[in-house]
């Protein structure tokens, strides 16, 4: 396995670049970052739509969520791959198709996580913001979403990780990404598929695991800053010294 | 300052406010009391539009709060509101909680807004807690911060919805002290509370409510010494036995 890596590490990392299109792990991460960066704002919009005071908006948002959640991701990719060029009237490249499909698919799932985060907040938070005179958007942007996103962080993270893994389905429409690079290496070697695809699996695992661990640490730091003293300060001491009647 | 003109409100088919007509003068301190479920909290929440009404009018500071064209966000800046559950924003420091509205709504630069916020925190005796998060405060401290936050827009009117009901008994005093101080400052105050000592001492008038009706509107002396309505007499007797 190590000799395969030694031989083909550049192909795994960036694909044919600079002699061909950018590919490999770098392309996968790029797709994931673009997908995530675009899906998050879309997801927030859909989540707000789901709890909008206006019924037509609620219905439209619910339609998007339920349609996407009832569709396998592969279908979304095929639909984007064959459908988008017809809709737009010109060909689009695989990279854009994959990012588009990811954004559509993931924003529906992320939206549900964000909506749950919003609905878990006490009603008083919104009322307090409105009572100060903040309007709907200020209330959402300054008070509700910062808390909801933080509370939804664990489920958002699960979704981010699955987004990274879903980029590998770009393989079926020949997007130059990590899985595609691995397949190319495999085609050159022919005799060592298990080793080649183990490299693929281990790398995916390393990336996703690092991400979860980092986010978990971040979460803990924020939580500690918000109620640091409450955790290892006075109240604990109070509990410990309180006499039992 | 605040006029209620035959205000009606329903929850479904249940009528929870029935033709409320009343008036709070400028600078007056009104305490609303009554058994639970009598509509006190609902009534106070209609004043800043947190609860819609079926019919009637509520005029605050010369403006009809429930008029279809009313700019409710602008009106709310003129009406401070203190909740039973404090409802501080847990993701912001105490200083940010208090300075948020002045920065976002009056467009004050951060430094000036924070300076004002520090002055308000000093007024409620919590100057040293400015950079702490609400999760680190006791209930009494939280409610005092919430009062400072409600005062940040310098509203001429402030409403209290059972401000001491969620507190441990030993913390009620510190919150009432702040409110007493506030009552002496000339601000118009409407306060739903079960603290009858506070009502007797600070209120200009006491409203007694039951089943969505203001049964009695009297000075504290009249109300506590010789309540006219039998329901009010029973309520006061129950309180004494409790």
């Amino acid at each position: 396995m190590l000799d395969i890596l030694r031989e083909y590490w550049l192909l795994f990392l960036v694909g044919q670049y600079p002699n061909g299109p950018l590919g490999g792990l770098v392309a996968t991460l790029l797709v994931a970052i673009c997908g995530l960066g675009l899906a998050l704002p879309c997801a927030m919009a859909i989540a707000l739509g789901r709890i909008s005071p206006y019924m037509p908006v609620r219905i439209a948002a619910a339609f998007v969520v339920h349609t996407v959640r009832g569709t396998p991701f592969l279908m979304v990719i095929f639909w984007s791959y064959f459908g988008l060029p017809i809709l737009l009237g010109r060909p689009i490249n695989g990279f854009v198709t994959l990012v588009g499909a990811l954004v559509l698919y993931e924003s529906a799932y992320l939206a549900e996580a964000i909506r749950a985060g919003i609905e878990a907040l006490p009603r008083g938070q919104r009322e307090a913001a409105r009572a100060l005179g903040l309007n709907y958007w200020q209330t959402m942007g300054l008070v509700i979403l910062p808390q909801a996103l933080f509370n939804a962080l664990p489920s958002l993270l699960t979704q981010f990780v699955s987004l990274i893994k879903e980029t590998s389905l770009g393989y079926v429409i020949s997007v130059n990404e990590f899985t595609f690079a691995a397949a190319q290496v495999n085609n050159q070697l022919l005799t060592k598929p298990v080793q080649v695809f183990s490299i693929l699996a281990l790398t995916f695992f390393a990336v996703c695991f690092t991400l979860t661990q980092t986010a978990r640490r971040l979460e803990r730091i924020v939580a500690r800053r918000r109620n640091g003293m409450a955790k290892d300060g006075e109240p604990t001491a109070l509990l410990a010294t309180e006499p039992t009647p | 300052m605040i006029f209620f003109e035959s205000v009606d409100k329903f929850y479904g088919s249940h009528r929870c406010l029935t033709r409320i007509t009343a008036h709070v003068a400028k600078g007056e301190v009104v305490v609303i009391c009554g058994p639970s479920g009598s509509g006190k909290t609902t009534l106070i929440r209609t004043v800043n539009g947190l609860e819609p009404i079926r019919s009637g009018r509520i005029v605050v500071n010369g403006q009809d709060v429930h008029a279809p064209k009313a700019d409710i966000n602008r009106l709310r800046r003129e009406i401070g509101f203190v909740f039973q559950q404090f409802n501080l924003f847990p993701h912001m420091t105490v200083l940010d909680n208090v300075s948020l509205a002045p920065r976002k709504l009056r467009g004050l630069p951060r430094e000036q807004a924070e300076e004002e916020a520090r002055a308000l925190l000093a007024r409620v005796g919590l100057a040293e807690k400015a950079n702490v998060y609400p999760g680190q405060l006791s209930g009494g401290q939280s409610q005092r911060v919430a009062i400072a936050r409600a005062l940040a827009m310098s509203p001429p009117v402030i409403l209290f919805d059972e401000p001491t009901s969620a507190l441990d008994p030993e913390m009620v005093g510190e919150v009432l002290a702040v409110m007493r101080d506030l009552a002496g400052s000339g601000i118009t105050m409407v306060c739903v509370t079960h603290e009858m000592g506070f009502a007797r001492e600070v209120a200009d008038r006491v409203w007694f409510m039951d089943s969505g009706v203001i049964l009695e509107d009297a000075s504290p002396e009249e109300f506590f010494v010789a309540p006219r309505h039998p329901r009010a007499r029973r309520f006061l007797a129950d309180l004494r036995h409790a």
Side-chain angles (χ1 to χ4, degrees):
Chain A
M1 239 161 82
L2 277 178
D3 42 306
I4 299 176
L5 256 186
R6 206 171 298 133
E7 183 87 5
Y8 293 103
W9 66 274
L10 199 63
L11 187 62
F12 273 119
L13 194 64
V14 294
Q16 311 282 328
Y17 193 78
N19 305 316
L22 181 69
L25 183 58
V26 172
T28 284
L29 294 179
L30 207 62
V31 169
I33 290 166
C34 291
L36 206 132
L38 293 170
L40 201 57
C42 291
M44 284 192 238
I46 296 173
L48 291 182
R50 289 274 276 156
I51 52 167
S52 163
Y54 303 106
M55 193 159 70
V57 180
R58 277 205 305 275
I59 291 175
F63 178 77
V64 172
V65 168
H66 293 309
T67 310
V68 170
R69 291 216 300 183
T71 316
F73 184 51
L74 200 56
M75 286 310 110
V76 179
I77 290 186
F78 280 141
W79 191 88
S80 318
Y81 188 65
F82 297 114
L84 277 183
I86 298 172
L87 275 180
L88 296 173
R90 60 191 172 83
I92 51 172
N93 71 33
F95 185 89
V96 176
T97 309
L98 181 58
V99 170
L102 275 172
V103 169
L104 178 62
Y105 197 71
E106 284 303 322
S107 45
Y109 283 92
L110 292 171
E112 288 298 273
I114 295 172
R115 179 174 70 103
I118 293 175
E119 287 179 340
L121 291 177
R123 205 173 55 148
Q125 287 294 309
R126 189 183 310 207
E127 286 182 348
R130 296 309 300 268
L132 284 172
L134 298 173
N135 65 31
Y136 175 83
W137 294 108
Q138 289 169 322
T139 300
M140 286 299 158
L142 298 166
V143 175
I144 303 301
L145 280 178
Q147 295 187 64
L149 289 176
F150 177 72
N151 292 342
L153 207 57
S155 41
L156 289 182
L157 199 73
T158 315
Q159 217 48 53
F160 286 169
V161 167
S162 85
L163 185 148
I164 291 177
K165 292 184 292 185
E166 276 155 8
T167 59
S168 62
L169 281 171
Y171 177 69
V172 299
I173 53 168
S174 305
V175 177
N176 273 290
E177 41 71 58
F178 195 35
T179 313
F180 190 81
Q184 277 182 318
V185 173
N186 186 42
N187 287 344
Q188 287 183 29
L189 289 170
L190 285 174
T191 54
K192 293 183 174 147
V194 173
Q195 287 89 329
V196 169
F197 288 111
S198 296
I199 292 174
L200 183 69
L202 285 173
T203 315
F204 264 121
F205 174 77
V207 169
C208 296
F209 187 71
T210 315
L211 187 67
T212 11
Q213 291 307 306
T214 313
R216 189 163 299 166
R217 193 160 307 149
L218 199 74
E219 208 177 322
R220 233 176 282 149
I221 290 170
V222 175
R224 197 171 314 143
R225 198 175 54 142
R226 281 192 198 163
N227 34 25
M229 269 157 60
K231 207 169 264 174
D232 39 43
E234 298 151 32
T236 337
L238 258 181
L239 270 180
T241 54
E242 213 157 27
T244 39
Chain B
M1 201 71 182
I2 308 176
F3 292 89
F4 298 90
E5 289 176 22
S6 73
V7 173
D8 273 316
K9 178 171 175 63
F10 290 76
Y11 281 124
S13 62
H14 172 67
R15 190 172 199 173
C16 49
L17 293 177
T18 305
R19 280 202 296 284
I20 300 281
T21 297
H23 166 227
V24 182
K26 192 170 178 344
E28 206 170 31
V29 177
V30 170
V31 165
I32 307 178
C33 61
S36 52
S38 59
K40 319 179 288 287
T41 291
T42 307
L43 179 67
I44 205 169
R45 285 165 59 93
T46 61
V47 176
N48 71 347
L50 281 179
E51 296 284 352
I53 59 176
R54 169 76 62 90
S55 60
R57 256 161 45 103
I58 298 174
V59 178
V60 181
N61 235 339
Q63 280 165 299
D64 186 343
V65 178
H66 293 272
K69 278 201 220 145
D71 183 351
I72 190 72
N73 294 323
R74 182 157 283 280
L75 285 172
R76 280 171 176 159
R77 298 180 197 178
E78 310 284 309
I79 307 171
F81 198 100
V82 177
F83 295 85
Q84 181 178 358
Q85 301 292 346
F86 335 132
N87 295 340
L88 294 178
F89 306 133
H91 61 303
M92 298 179 189
T93 62
V94 163
L95 193 64
D96 285 341
N97 265 278
V98 180
S99 61
L100 179 72
R103 278 199 291 129
K104 298 297 171 184
L105 300 175
R106 267 158 61 200
L108 287 192
R110 181 179 275 274
E111 279 153 37
Q112 198 184 337
E114 289 188 348
E115 196 178 311
E116 289 187 16
R118 281 181 206 281
L120 282 171
L121 287 173
R123 187 167 164 194
V124 298
L126 290 170
E128 79 286 358
K129 295 288 184 188
N131 295 315
V132 148
Y133 283 86
Q136 296 164 237
L137 299 175
S138 71
Q141 291 170 336
S142 296
Q143 195 57 296
R144 281 146 69 197
V145 171
I147 294 173
R149 180 176 68 176
L151 292 172
M153 295 295 284
S154 327
V157 180
I158 185 164
L159 313 172
F160 291 86
D161 180 15
E162 304 203 22
T164 56
S165 299
L167 298 175
D168 290 338
E170 75 268 25
M171 291 171 181
V172 170
E174 61 189 77
V175 172
L176 290 182
V178 168
M179 291 170 62
R180 208 170 280 134
D181 171 59
L182 204 58
S185 75
I187 197 169
T188 308
M189 235 163 108
V190 181
C191 183
V192 173
T193 186
H194 295 294
E195 294 294 330
M196 290 303 124
F198 175 80
R200 195 187 279 256
E201 185 188 341
V202 176
D204 296 309
R205 277 188 305 142
V206 177
W207 294 356
F208 175 77
M209 283 186 76
D210 192 25
S211 321
V213 181
I214 299 179
L215 290 179
E216 189 137 355
D217 175 353
S219 70
E221 297 79 34
E222 289 175 282
F223 179 74
F224 289 107
V225 177
R228 273 163 299 171
H229 203 279
R231 187 70 192 82
R233 276 199 286 272
R234 192 145 30 100
F235 176 75
L236 287 173
D238 287 345
L239 277 187
R240 275 183 210 110
H241 293 141

